[in-house]
C-alpha cells in the first residue's frame, strides 16, 4: 500500500542493521505495548506471565532494574516504584485492610510514620509505635489483628540497629509479616530475607541511583502470593516508574560496589574523628560502640554505608548547631542521601515523644566521595562551639 509522507512519519519503512551489542540496557519508553492480534489483548499486569501488556507494569528497562535488585537481595520478585515513599505506600495499601494492626518503630523514616498516622488510620488501620531496640519483647505488643511489623535498621537519623531476627520470630509466631526499609544497607550489607524479613523496600533514590538525580523505589518479596497482592495493587494505584530513571539506576548499580566501599571507609574515618572531638557527646555510627545496637550490626551486617549522625554536648544551643551547619562549606544542606556530595542536616527531637533525648543537638551527615581529609577540615573549621 503506498503511503503519503504524513503516514510515513508514523509508519516508516526504514530498516536499520540488526545485531548492535551494547553494554547498556536500552531505554524502552512506552505506554502502549503492541499485542500480536485482537485475541491477544489482555490487561493482565504480571508481564512474566502474560508478556508485555502496558507500560505501567514495566518496560524491559524497568524489569531489568527490578530483576537486578531482586538478584542482589535474593528475593523472588521486585517491583519498581516511582520513589521510596511510593514503595512504602504500595506495601501498606497492598497488604493491609481496615481493622488490621501494624507495628512501626519510633525511628522509622518520617513520611512512613506520617502515612500511617494520616492515611492508614483514616482507612481504619490501627497503628502502634515501638522502641526500635525492643527485640523479642515486641511479642507483648502483637495483637490478634497484627498484620505487619515494620523495621528500619539503622533507624532514620537516630541510627538504632534492630534485632530483626528476634522481631521476625515473634511476628511469624503470631502470623504477622515483617517489612523492612533496607535503604541504608543498599540491599547488600544486610541480607534481609535470611534474617527473617518477608518484604523489603529500598529508596533506590539513595545508593543505587547514587548521584542525586533520580527518584525510584523497590519492593522485593520472597513469596509469590505477596507478589501477586503487590502487583495487583500497583496496577490500581497506577504508580509507574520512568524507564529513563531506571536506566540511570542501572548505570548507578554498576559502580555501587566501589562507591559503597569508598563512602563507607570515609564515613567511618570521619565518625572516629568526631568521636574524639570535645564538642561531641556521642557518635551514632553502627560500627562504633556508641551506637545503640552496635553488637547487632556486628552480628547481622556485612558493612556500613555513609550515613550517620552525631550529637553535640548538652550545653550546645540550637543556635550554635545551626551556626555549625551554616559554617560548613563542602557539606551542603539538603534532604535525601546516598549521592556523591556530602550533606549535613540538623534535627530537633525536643517535641517528639518516643525518640531519644538528643533534642536539638543531633546532626545527620551523608558522606560523599570528596577527599576524607577535606571533609574533616570542613567539619573542624565549622566547630564554632
Ligand atoms: C530510610 C528512607 N526510606 C525511604 C525514603 C523515601 O525515599 P524517596 O525520597 O525516594 O521517596 C527515604 C528518603 O529520604 C529514606 O531516608
Amino acid at each position: 500500500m503506498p503511503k503519503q509522507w504524513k503516514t510515513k512519519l508514523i509508519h516508516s519503512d526504514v530498516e536499520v542493521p540488526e545485531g548492535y551489542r551494547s553494554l547498556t540496557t536500552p531505554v524502552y519508553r512506552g505506554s502502549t505495548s503492541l499485542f500480536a492480534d485482537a485475541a491477544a489483548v489482555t490487561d493482565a499486569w504480571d508481564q512474566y506471565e502474560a508478556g508485555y501488556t502496558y507500560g505501567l507494569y514495566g518496560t524491559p528497562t524497568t524489569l531489568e532494574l527490578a530483576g537486578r535488585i531482586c538478584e542482589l537481595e535474593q528475593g523472588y520478585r521486585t517491583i519498581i516504584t516511582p520513589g521510596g515513599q511510593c514503595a512504602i505506600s504500595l506495601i501498606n495499601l497492598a497488604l493491609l485492610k481496615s481493622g488490621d494492626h501494624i507495628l512501626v518503630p519510633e525511628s522509622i523514616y518520617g513520611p512512613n510514620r506520617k502515612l500511617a498516622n494520616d492515611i492508614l488510620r483514616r482507612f481504619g488501620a490501627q497503628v502502634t509505635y515501638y522502641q526500635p531496640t525492643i527485640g523479642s519483647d515486641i511479642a507483648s505488643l502483637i495483637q490478634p489483628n497484627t498484620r505487619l511489623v515494620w523495621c528500619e535498621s539503622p533507624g532514620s537519623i537516630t541510627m538504632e540497629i534492630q534485632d530483626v531476627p528476634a522481631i521476625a520470630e515473634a511476628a511469624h509466631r503470631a502470623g504477622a509479616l515483617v517489612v523492612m526499609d533496607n535503604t541504608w544497607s543498599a540491599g547488600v550489607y544486610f541480607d534481609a530475607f535470611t534474617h527473617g524479613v518477608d518484604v523489603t523496600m529500598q529508596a533506590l533514590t539513595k545508593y543505587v541511583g547514587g548521584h542525586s538525580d533520580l527518584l525510584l523505589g523497590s519492593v522485593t518479596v520472597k513469596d509469590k502470593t505477596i507478589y501477586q497482592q503487590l502487583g495487583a495493587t500497583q496496577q490500581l494505584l497506577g504508580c509507574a516508574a520512568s524507564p529513563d530513571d531506571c536506566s540511570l539506576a542501572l548505570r548507578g548499580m554498576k559502580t555501587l560496589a566501589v562507591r559503597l566501599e569508598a563512602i563507607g571507609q570515609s564515613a567511618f574515618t570521619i565518625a572516629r574523628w568526631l568521636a574524639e572531638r570535645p564538642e561531641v557527646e556521642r557518635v551514632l555510627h553502627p560500627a562504633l560502640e556508641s551506637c545503640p545496637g552496635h553488637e547487632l550490626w556486628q552480628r547481622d551486617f556485612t558493612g556500613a554505608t555513609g550515613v550517620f549522625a552525631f550529637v553535640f554536648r548538652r550545653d550546645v544551643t540550637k543556635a550554635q548547631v545551626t551556626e555549625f551547619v551554616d559554617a560548613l562549606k563542602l557539606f551542603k544542606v539538603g534532604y535525601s542521601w546516598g549521592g556523591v556530595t556530602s550533606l549535613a542536616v540538623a534535627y530537633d527531637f525536643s517535641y517528639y515523644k518516643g525518640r531519644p533525648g538528643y533534642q536539638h543537638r543531633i546532626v545527620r551527615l551523608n558522606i560523599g566521595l570528596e577527599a576524607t581529609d577535606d571533609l574533616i577540615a570542613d567539619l573542624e573549621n565549622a566547630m564554632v562551639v
Side-chain angles (χ1 to χ4, degrees):
M1 180 174 110
K3 295 176 198 163
Q4 295 182 33
W5 71 270
K6 284 184 184 170
T7 303
K8 281 189 178 175
L9 290 178
I10 316 298
H11 301 278
S12 169
D13 295 321
V14 167
E15 284 181 14
V16 293
E18 284 183 9
Y20 184 73
R21 293 167 65 207
S22 172
L23 286 169
T24 54
T25 308
V27 182
Y28 289 96
R29 298 193 189 90
S31 49
T32 299
S33 173
L34 297 179
F35 297 100
D37 52 33
V41 173
T42 168
D43 193 26
W45 64 267
D46 188 347
Q47 323 236 321
Y48 287 97
E49 300 274 326
Y52 289 102
T53 60
Y54 190 44
L56 169 61
Y57 318 133
T59 72
T61 316
T62 324
L63 295 195
E64 172 85 23
L65 178 62
R68 283 170 177 258
I69 296 291
C70 196
E71 185 172 64
L72 273 190
E73 293 199 38
Q74 298 176 68
Y76 163 69
R77 284 266 195 275
T78 296
I79 291 177
I80 302 295
T81 59
Q85 179 64 14
C86 184
I88 293 167
S89 310
L90 174 62
I91 292 168
N92 282 330
L93 295 175
L95 302 180
L96 291 172
K97 61 179 185 331
S98 171
D100 281 348
H101 173 237
I102 64 167
L103 284 162
V104 181
E106 296 277 8
S107 53
I108 202 86
Y109 170 59
N112 187 332
R113 184 189 190 105
K114 219 165 154 26
L115 176 82
N117 286 345
D118 296 359
I119 297 185
L120 300 185
R121 280 187 169 139
R122 177 147 57 83
F123 288 139
Q126 278 173 263
V127 186
T128 303
Y129 292 97
Y130 68 90
Q131 280 303 321
T133 50
I134 195 168
S136 57
D137 287 346
I138 194 131
S140 64
L141 299 178
I142 293 178
Q143 304 174 178
N145 59 341
T146 304
R147 170 83 177 129
L148 295 184
V149 179
W150 268 92
C151 292
E152 183 182 324
S153 181
S156 274
I157 306 151
T158 42
M159 302 299 293
E160 300 88 346
I161 302 290
Q162 297 198 260
D163 192 342
V164 175
I167 291 173
E169 207 201 308
H172 291 159
R173 237 185 293 127
L177 295 172
V178 178
V179 183
M180 167 128 191
D181 186 329
N182 205 15
T183 305
W184 185 84
S185 89
V188 290
Y189 288 155
F190 181 76
D191 182 351
F193 294 127
T194 301
H195 289 92
V197 172
D198 300 290
V199 181
T200 68
M201 55 79 35
Q202 276 191 71
L204 305 180
T205 310
K206 318 297 180 203
Y207 286 117
V208 171
H211 297 78
S212 313
D213 53 3
L214 63 88
L215 284 148
L216 282 175
S218 64
V219 181
T220 303
V221 295
K222 60 173 195 180
D223 174 284
K224 192 169 180 178
T225 313
I226 301 175
Y227 175 63
Q228 293 296 326
Q229 281 174 277
L230 286 161
T233 306
Q234 188 199 20
Q235 176 178 36
L236 300 181
L237 292 178
C239 37
S242 151
D244 286 286
D245 287 347
C246 291
S247 162
L248 286 175
L250 282 165
R251 185 166 70 171
M253 278 186 92
K254 293 181 186 178
T255 56
L256 181 65
V258 282
R259 281 188 288 111
L260 287 185
E261 199 172 326
I263 285 171
Q265 274 176 16
S266 188
F268 190 44
T269 305
I270 293 167
R272 277 180 303 178
W273 178 83
L274 279 166
E276 300 299 319
R277 292 294 304 189
E279 302 88 347
V280 172
E281 178 186 277
R282 185 171 199 179
V283 179
L284 303 169
H285 184 295
L288 293 177
E289 272 177 31
S290 48
C291 188
H294 162 70
E295 61 298 338
L296 297 171
W297 175 80
Q298 279 182 316
R299 188 189 71 185
D300 295 343
F301 285 68
T302 55
T305 54
V307 172
F308 67 96
F310 69 94
V311 184
F312 276 109
R313 254 182 4 226
R314 282 182 184 274
D315 57 331
V316 174
T317 64
K318 186 165 178 160
Q320 284 173 315
V321 175
T322 309
E323 222 178 300
F324 163 79
V325 171
D326 286 343
L328 292 165
K329 296 274 185 285
L330 296 176
F331 283 85
K332 303 297 175 195
V333 184
Y335 280 139
S336 210
W337 43 273
V340 299
T341 311
S342 292
L343 303 171
V345 178
Y347 290 86
D348 189 348
F349 286 130
S350 303
Y351 309 102
Y352 284 72
K353 277 193 294 175
R355 301 298 299 254
Y358 304 138
Q359 302 125 329
H360 58 267
R361 298 176 290 123
I362 184 164
V363 176
R364 182 173 75 176
L365 300 180
N366 170 67
I367 304 303
L369 285 177
E370 302 91 339
T372 310
D373 289 348
D374 288 349
L375 293 176
I376 288 177
D378 197 24
L379 290 166
E380 188 162 30
N381 288 340
M383 288 284 180
V384 285
V385 290

